[in-house]
Amino acid sequence: MTQLTLVRMPTAGSPGPVPEGPGRLRAIEEADLEAVGRLYAASYPADVVGDEAAAVADIRASWAGEYGTWLHEASLLVELDRQPVAAVLTVDRPPWDDVADLVFVIDLFTHPDYRGQGLAERLVRAALAAVGPDRVVGLRVESDNGPAVRLYRRLGFRERP
């Protein structure tokens, strides 16, 4: 399993409109952090994020700037029945040397029960729109995560030279 670093250059053009979909799309607020942390834990295997408490702590650390300056307008969730079911976390100036100059999607996750409904695409398009057309946006993805790689490539992301 190899991790790819993908970037979306301003020359990639508009990512297109944010599609309509189920649930309410909105910015993550501080009051949401615990629920987003629970969603994070539910969205990944325990060997990836740890237990629920560790997942909540990691989301709080993200909010506090451990992985770069949290971009409120581009860190979003989709909620159904007032519960988050998908989220994208976006920062500026992440702490990793190879991407420190980028806006960076540090995570994108959807609860397993809500996958395949276009929520991830909706979130990424909305985050890109919030960042604006003049910034380079990067992210990392496992090369064997076919659905995610296809989504990012469709939205104009390419391997970083």
mmCIF file of all heavy atoms in Angstrom, residues 7 11 32 45 53 59 75 82 88 114 118 121 142 148:
data_model
loop_
_atom_site.group_PDB
_atom_site.id
_atom_site.type_symbol
_atom_site.label_atom_id
_atom_site.label_comp_id
_atom_site.label_asym_id
_atom_site.label_seq_id
_atom_site.Cartn_x
_atom_site.Cartn_y
_atom_site.Cartn_z
ATOM 1 N N VAL A 7 -2.274 16.894 -5.878
ATOM 2 C CA VAL A 7 -2.513 18.329 -5.800
ATOM 3 C C VAL A 7 -3.473 18.750 -6.896
ATOM 4 O O VAL A 7 -3.557 18.122 -7.948
ATOM 5 C CB VAL A 7 -1.206 19.154 -5.905
ATOM 6 C CG1 VAL A 7 -0.300 18.908 -4.719
ATOM 7 C CG2 VAL A 7 -0.487 18.889 -7.203
ATOM 8 N N THR A 11 -4.751 25.965 -12.348
ATOM 9 C CA THR A 11 -4.984 25.795 -13.784
ATOM 10 C C THR A 11 -5.932 24.644 -14.102
ATOM 11 O O THR A 11 -6.318 24.465 -15.262
ATOM 12 C CB THR A 11 -3.643 25.551 -14.508
ATOM 13 O OG1 THR A 11 -3.000 24.424 -13.901
ATOM 14 C CG2 THR A 11 -2.742 26.762 -14.428
ATOM 15 N N ASP A 32 -19.347 20.881 17.418
ATOM 16 C CA ASP A 32 -19.479 19.634 16.651
ATOM 17 C C ASP A 32 -18.314 18.669 16.856
ATOM 18 O O ASP A 32 -18.373 17.530 16.381
ATOM 19 C CB ASP A 32 -19.538 19.930 15.142
ATOM 20 C CG ASP A 32 -20.706 20.795 14.747
ATOM 21 O OD1 ASP A 32 -21.820 20.530 15.234
ATOM 22 O OD2 ASP A 32 -20.489 21.727 13.944
ATOM 23 N N PRO A 45 -11.289 1.747 10.446
ATOM 24 C CA PRO A 45 -11.002 0.648 11.369
ATOM 25 C C PRO A 45 -10.241 1.170 12.595
ATOM 26 O O PRO A 45 -9.499 2.153 12.509
ATOM 27 C CB PRO A 45 -10.114 -0.306 10.554
ATOM 28 C CG PRO A 45 -10.283 0.106 9.126
ATOM 29 C CD PRO A 45 -10.670 1.553 9.129
ATOM 30 N N ALA A 53 -12.280 7.666 21.862
ATOM 31 C CA ALA A 53 -11.639 8.764 22.605
ATOM 32 C C ALA A 53 -10.431 9.304 21.837
ATOM 33 O O ALA A 53 -10.223 10.520 21.775
ATOM 34 C CB ALA A 53 -11.233 8.294 23.997
ATOM 35 N N ILE A 59 -9.486 14.874 16.354
ATOM 36 C CA ILE A 59 -10.296 15.937 15.734
ATOM 37 C C ILE A 59 -10.096 17.245 16.490
ATOM 38 O O ILE A 59 -9.930 18.311 15.878
ATOM 39 C CB ILE A 59 -11.791 15.535 15.676
ATOM 40 C CG1 ILE A 59 -11.991 14.314 14.781
ATOM 41 C CG2 ILE A 59 -12.657 16.721 15.229
ATOM 42 C CD1 ILE A 59 -11.583 14.484 13.330
ATOM 43 N N SER A 75 -13.724 23.433 6.126
ATOM 44 C CA SER A 75 -13.839 22.225 6.959
ATOM 45 C C SER A 75 -15.324 22.053 7.242
ATOM 46 O O SER A 75 -15.914 22.806 8.015
ATOM 47 C CB SER A 75 -13.034 22.378 8.249
ATOM 48 O OG SER A 75 -11.653 22.448 7.939
ATOM 49 N N ARG A 82 -29.536 15.913 12.362
ATOM 50 C CA ARG A 82 -28.647 16.634 13.286
ATOM 51 C C ARG A 82 -27.409 15.849 13.710
ATOM 52 O O ARG A 82 -26.765 16.187 14.693
ATOM 53 C CB ARG A 82 -29.418 17.120 14.502
ATOM 54 C CG ARG A 82 -30.507 18.103 14.122
ATOM 55 C CD ARG A 82 -31.169 18.672 15.315
ATOM 56 N NE ARG A 82 -32.264 19.516 14.866
ATOM 57 C CZ ARG A 82 -32.771 20.479 15.586
ATOM 58 N NH1 ARG A 82 -32.310 20.718 16.781
ATOM 59 N NH2 ARG A 82 -33.760 21.211 15.122
ATOM 60 N N VAL A 88 -15.157 16.785 5.844
ATOM 61 C CA VAL A 88 -13.864 17.083 5.248
ATOM 62 C C VAL A 88 -13.171 18.083 6.176
ATOM 63 O O VAL A 88 -13.790 19.032 6.650
ATOM 64 C CB VAL A 88 -13.987 17.633 3.803
ATOM 65 C CG1 VAL A 88 -14.747 18.948 3.744
ATOM 66 C CG2 VAL A 88 -12.623 17.762 3.144
ATOM 67 N N TYR A 114 -23.488 5.509 4.906
ATOM 68 C CA TYR A 114 -23.872 6.592 3.999
ATOM 69 C C TYR A 114 -22.948 6.710 2.787
ATOM 70 O O TYR A 114 -23.065 7.660 2.022
ATOM 71 C CB TYR A 114 -23.924 7.919 4.767
ATOM 72 C CG TYR A 114 -24.983 7.884 5.833
ATOM 73 C CD1 TYR A 114 -24.671 7.516 7.131
ATOM 74 C CD2 TYR A 114 -26.302 8.169 5.522
ATOM 75 C CE1 TYR A 114 -25.654 7.447 8.105
ATOM 76 C CE2 TYR A 114 -27.288 8.108 6.487
ATOM 77 C CZ TYR A 114 -26.953 7.743 7.782
ATOM 78 O OH TYR A 114 -27.923 7.670 8.739
ATOM 79 N N GLY A 118 -22.587 10.136 -2.840
ATOM 80 C CA GLY A 118 -22.013 11.367 -3.365
ATOM 81 C C GLY A 118 -21.643 12.397 -2.315
ATOM 82 O O GLY A 118 -21.327 13.538 -2.663
ATOM 83 N N GLU A 121 -17.894 13.667 -2.653
ATOM 84 C CA GLU A 121 -17.732 14.600 -3.761
ATOM 85 C C GLU A 121 -18.330 15.959 -3.417
ATOM 86 O O GLU A 121 -17.738 17.008 -3.691
ATOM 87 C CB GLU A 121 -18.381 14.053 -5.028
ATOM 88 C CG GLU A 121 -18.246 14.997 -6.192
ATOM 89 C CD GLU A 121 -18.713 14.429 -7.520
ATOM 90 O OE1 GLU A 121 -19.031 13.223 -7.595
ATOM 91 O OE2 GLU A 121 -18.757 15.204 -8.488
ATOM 92 N N GLU A 142 -4.439 6.693 0.001
ATOM 93 C CA GLU A 142 -3.838 5.377 -0.226
ATOM 94 C C GLU A 142 -4.065 4.984 -1.682
ATOM 95 O O GLU A 142 -5.184 5.091 -2.191
ATOM 96 C CB GLU A 142 -4.437 4.336 0.712
ATOM 97 C CG GLU A 142 -4.178 4.606 2.186
ATOM 98 C CD GLU A 142 -2.713 4.584 2.574
ATOM 99 O OE1 GLU A 142 -1.909 3.889 1.910
ATOM 100 O OE2 GLU A 142 -2.365 5.275 3.551
ATOM 101 N N ALA A 148 -11.672 6.639 -3.833
ATOM 102 C CA ALA A 148 -11.157 7.962 -3.483
ATOM 103 C C ALA A 148 -10.235 8.485 -4.581
ATOM 104 O O ALA A 148 -10.333 9.653 -4.975
ATOM 105 C CB ALA A 148 -10.427 7.906 -2.144
#
